[in-house]
C-alpha cells in the first residue's frame, strides 16, 4: 500500500507563487506509479491539474485548463512530486490533493480523471487572497 503526504500549502496574495510537495512512501516504487495533482474548491468538483510517470523521464501532462501557470515536476530520489503554482488567482483557492495510480502508461486522459485514482493524499489547503 502506498501513502501520500502533501506539504507546502498556505496563504498567498494574488499574483504570487507557491510550491506544494507530495511525498510517497510505503510499498512505492517510482517505476510502478503515475502521480498527479488535483484540486477541489468549495462547492465544486475535484478537478485534475497535471501529473507524470514517476519511473522515467517523460514530460508531465496537464489538463487543458491548467496549462500555463502550473508546473509539475519530481525528485525521483526523494519519491516526491511537486506542483509549482505561479501568478495565482483568487479562483485558485482550493484544497490540493496528490494522487497516485499504479501503472506505467500515464496520460492526462486517464490519470487526471477522478475515477482513475487509486490513492489520495490528505490534501493541503491553498488560499489566495488580498
Amino acid at each position: 500500500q502506498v501513502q501520500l503526504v502533501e506539504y507546502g500549502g498556505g496563504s498567498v496574495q494574488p499574483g504570487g507563487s507557491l510550491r506544494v510537495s507530495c511525498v510517497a512512501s510505503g510499498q512505492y516504487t517510482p517505476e510502478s506509479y503515475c502521480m498527479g495533482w488535483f484540486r477541489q474548491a468549495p462547492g465544486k468538483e475535484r478537478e485534475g491539474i497535471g501529473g507524470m510517470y514517476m519511473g522515467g523521464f517523460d514530460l508531465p501532462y496537464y489538463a487543458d485548463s491548467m496549462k500555463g501557470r502550473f508546473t509539475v515536476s519530481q525528485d525521483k530520489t526523494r519519491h516526491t512530486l511537486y506542483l509549482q503554482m505561479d501568478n495565482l488567482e483568487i479562483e485558485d483557492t482550493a484544497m490540493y490533493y496528490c494522487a497516485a495510480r499504479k501503472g506505467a502508461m500515464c496520460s492526462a486522459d486517464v490519470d487526471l480523471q477522478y475515477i482513475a485514482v487509486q490513492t489520495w493524499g490528505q490534501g493541503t489547503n491553498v488560499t489566495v487572497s488580498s
Side-chain angles (χ1 to χ4, degrees):
Q1 192 170 0
V2 172
Q3 291 83 43
L4 305 175
V5 178
E6 299 96 335
Y7 300 92
S11 296
V12 63
Q13 291 186 339
S17 296
L18 198 64
R19 189 177 78 163
V20 293
S21 307
C22 171
V23 179
S25 62
Q27 296 178 346
Y28 172 81
T29 54
E31 293 74 19
S32 299
Y33 282 89
C34 308
M35 287 180 62
W37 290 97
F38 287 69
R39 72 182 185 182
Q40 187 166 18
K44 295 190 176 182
E45 293 186 351
R46 197 168 296 190
E47 60 180 345
I49 300 172
M52 65 191 309
Y53 172 52
M54 301 300 284
F57 300 95
D58 299 2
L59 293 175
Y61 44 82
Y62 300 90
D64 287 342
S65 62
M66 301 294 178
K67 293 177 181 177
R69 298 186 297 115
F70 297 93
T71 304
V72 174
S73 62
Q74 66 162 308
D75 183 331
K76 201 184 305 297
T77 62
R78 296 175 183 261
H79 294 181
T80 300
L81 184 74
Y82 300 101
L83 177 67
Q84 175 69 37
M85 301 177 282
D86 298 312
N87 195 21
L88 283 161
E89 303 171 353
I90 291 175
E91 293 73 23
D92 295 318
T93 295
M95 188 73 78
Y96 284 73
Y97 295 92
C98 183
R101 178 181 70 85
K102 196 165 187 179
M105 299 295 290
C106 312
S107 70
D109 288 344
V110 173
D111 293 286
L112 297 184
Q113 302 302 315
Y114 180 93
I115 195 171
V117 175
Q118 295 170 339
T119 303
W120 292 99
Q122 83 287 353
T124 186
N125 195 52
V126 172
T127 301
V128 185
S129 71
S130 55

